[in-house]
Amino acid sequence: MYNFLLVLLSTVLCALPSSAIEGLTRQSFSTKPFSTDGRWMTNADGVNLTYTGVNWPGHGETMVPEGLQYLSVAEMVQKIKSTGMNAIRLTWAVQMIDDILDKRSDGQLGTAFVAALGETNGTKVLNAVLDKNKAFTKETTRLEVFDAIALECARQGIYVHLDNHVSKAGWCCKTDDGNAWFGDEYFSTKNWERALGFMADHGKTWPSFVSMGLRNELRPVSGPRNVPVNWDTWYGNMTAGAEAIHRANPDLLIFFSGLYYDTQLRPIFYDGGFRDIDFDPSKLAYKDKIVLEVHDYDLDETNCTNKRTKLTRDSFAALGPISPKIKTVYPLVMSEWGFSQSPDQYAAPFAACLGKFLPEQRVGWMIWVLTGSYYIREGVQGKDEPWGLLDSTGTKWRCAECITKGIMPMVQNTLGIETPVANA
């Protein structure tokens, strides 16, 4: 890995003017570590940080971030940068770390694609990835691809947030997929905690890596349950996972997701929310690192007033102010939401409501999803993603109007900056 990173770093730096190279060390990333101050995430200088970003999946069967057969890592990051967004939510699977630690296999690209897609299609996609990403070879490992993305994000001024999406690599999320809850078929809490610590430690060298999510969309399990699905079980496991991250990398912000596909956070901040446990962050070693995350895919709710009321009750009340019932104030990020990328959808009630509500609340957000297709999803190779910001060719915006009239103004309104001109 060391030699690969030297080659990659040399390639990147040689392409930069000396002023830009010098500037790399002076970006806002140099003001790490980040912490929390009431409802805000702040850098070491006390400046508030608000995410406006996009999900970049890397948890599928290949365990390689999607879309690299169409664009290089640098081109993908530039597409994100051109919208004004400042962050990616880069997803990963525990299985990738199990392979490294248990099988002593770091999953080289030459075998990762063939294992997931078969000899013919796997070789075809591999060759396309290598053609677009000249620093990669078939011996490049999956984790080195993550390294390359993190380095490029730092070069272009994009924050990296790591999200543990699943244990067994594959599409998420169903109640019967074995990844739903602590102790589920593939969800070993021991391996999960180990993987969190591994990735937190591994990312120490990533300049723009400032936060990490514990687990995506916890949910009930279909059929017999190995562990009770309740908030007390949530508390014990999530605090253990947070401790694993904090021990490995005490600089990181730690994102806590809630229950029911991460739509319910109320017991975390609401007085009396836990039956037998007092979730008091002041007693935790990472007390100034806790951020809450919430998801919203309730496209059926067309009344924006109702949506605002529900979101406030179940999650956004965590922003404060303190009251007799709101015991602790936390920063909050909507780490998943999205809509089918078509001109009639960005102005539809769901997207229009969140497009106003999130900036008004000065809440960070990450839209689902960057890429317009998947190497493989639910057994279908090259499956199209209608919600992808990029189209099925992986090179152009699926709905340019959605970007220029929906996403970019939302970025501007969230951050209070001038809207840039997006790349085509």
Side-chain angles (χ1 to χ4, degrees):
M1 178 181 296
Y2 178 73
N3 290 335
F4 168 80
L5 287 176
L6 283 179
V7 172
L8 181 62
L9 183 60
S10 297
T11 302
V12 170
L13 295 182
C14 286
L16 292 173
S18 58
S19 59
I21 296 174
E22 182 181 357
L24 259 175
T25 62
R26 296 201 307 266
Q27 294 186 64
S28 58
F29 310 136
S30 65
T31 58
K32 294 194 302 182
F34 286 75
S35 59
T36 62
D37 181 12
R39 57 150 293 165
W40 300 105
M41 303 187 302
T42 63
N43 67 18
D45 296 327
V47 177
N48 294 343
L49 165 67
T50 303
Y51 282 153
T52 55
V54 65
N55 282 265
W56 189 345
H59 65 276
E61 284 88 340
T62 65
M63 290 170 271
V64 176
E66 305 282 349
L68 297 179
Q69 75 273 50
Y70 300 120
L71 292 175
S72 69
V73 168
E75 290 169 330
M76 291 282 275
V77 176
Q78 177 55 36
K79 295 294 281 188
I80 299 167
K81 182 71 173 179
S82 73
T83 67
M85 289 189 284
N86 64 12
I88 61 169
R89 183 176 184 246
L90 186 59
T91 69
W92 59 281
V94 170
Q95 184 181 340
M96 180 172 68
I97 310 308
D98 289 346
D99 286 350
I100 294 171
L101 299 180
D102 295 337
K103 299 181 180 180
R104 303 300 175 187
S105 171
D106 205 353
Q108 294 180 347
L109 295 183
T111 57
F113 284 108
V114 170
L117 307 178
E119 185 72 34
T120 300
N121 286 349
T123 301
K124 180 180 178 181
V125 174
L126 168 66
N127 289 336
V129 170
L130 299 185
D131 181 62
K132 292 295 182 182
N133 297 270
K134 303 301 185 184
F136 296 167
T137 70
K138 64 181 181 179
E139 287 79 30
T140 299
T141 68
R142 297 176 301 211
L143 197 56
E144 287 172 340
V145 176
F146 280 76
D147 292 334
I149 289 172
L151 181 61
E152 186 61 34
C153 282
R155 189 182 78 84
Q156 297 198 40
I158 301 292
Y159 293 105
V160 174
H161 169 83
L162 274 184
D163 170 72
N164 175 234
H165 222 66
V166 292
S167 290
K168 182 180 180 181
W171 180 248
C172 183
C173 302
K174 297 180 179 178
T175 58
D176 62 354
D177 62 9
N179 284 311
W181 186 255
F182 310 104
D184 201 356
E185 182 178 1
Y186 305 119
F187 194 166
S188 162
T189 55
K190 178 180 178 182
N191 287 24
W192 170 67
E193 291 175 26
R194 179 181 69 170
L196 290 174
F198 181 97
M199 289 300 285
D201 179 70
H202 181 83
K204 283 180 177 178
T205 60
W206 299 350
S208 61
F209 179 35
V210 296
S211 60
M212 191 166 174
L214 287 163
R215 186 70 173 199
N216 181 67
E217 295 196 352
L218 292 163
R219 54 202 179 275
V221 179
S222 296
R225 290 171 171 78
N226 296 317
V227 181
V229 177
N230 57 46
W231 282 102
D232 292 348
T233 302
W234 174 93
Y235 175 87
N237 284 286
M238 293 292 270
T239 53
E243 288 164 5
I245 291 174
H246 191 67
R247 282 195 303 270
N249 189 341
D251 287 351
L252 291 176
L253 298 174
I254 304 172
F255 280 42
F256 280 68
S257 58
L259 291 191
Y260 307 110
Y261 292 87
D262 199 14
T263 61
Q264 178 57 258
L265 297 169
R266 187 175 175 83
I268 302 172
F269 60 82
Y270 195 76
D271 187 40
F274 291 101
R275 185 175 65 252
D276 301 317
I277 297 169
D278 178 20
F279 187 26
D280 183 357
S282 68
K283 299 177 181 178
L284 302 173
Y286 47 88
K287 61 186 178 182
D288 60 346
K289 301 293 183 179
I290 299 173
V291 179
L292 304 186
E293 61 176 313
V294 65
H295 294 177
D296 187 13
Y297 290 114
D298 187 8
L299 278 73
D300 293 332
E301 179 55 80
T302 59
N303 185 303
C304 191
T305 299
N306 290 345
K307 176 174 285 294
R308 287 169 176 254
T309 299
K310 291 177 182 177
L311 286 172
T312 299
R313 179 193 65 207
D314 296 337
S315 54
F316 278 68
L319 297 170
I322 292 288
S323 72
K325 286 296 184 180
I326 307 301
K327 56 186 179 181
T328 308
V329 170
Y330 299 93
L332 177 71
V333 173
M334 184 170 283
S335 55
E336 277 192 37
W337 67 288
F339 54 93
S340 178
Q341 292 291 297
S342 60
D344 62 324
Q345 288 300 306
Y346 81 87
F350 174 80
C353 183
L354 289 182
K356 292 181 179 179
F357 181 63
L358 297 178
E360 286 173 2
Q361 299 296 312
R362 295 295 303 276
V363 161
W365 49 267
M366 288 135 159
I367 193 170
W368 186 272
V369 58
L370 174 62
T371 50
S373 64
Y374 300 92
Y375 302 126
I376 182 171
R377 170 178 161 183
E378 298 172 296
V380 179
Q381 297 189 21
K383 187 170 184 177
D384 185 56
E385 173 54 273
W387 290 36
L389 300 188
L390 294 171
D391 65 7
S392 58
T393 72
T395 59
K396 300 182 296 183
W397 299 125
R398 183 178 294 264
C399 171
E401 187 176 339
C402 300
I403 298 295
T404 59
K405 295 185 178 180
I407 300 302
M408 292 174 66
M410 188 174 173
V411 171
Q412 177 188 23
N413 292 334
T414 302
L415 300 179
I417 60 175
E418 182 178 352
T419 302
V421 177
N423 290 349

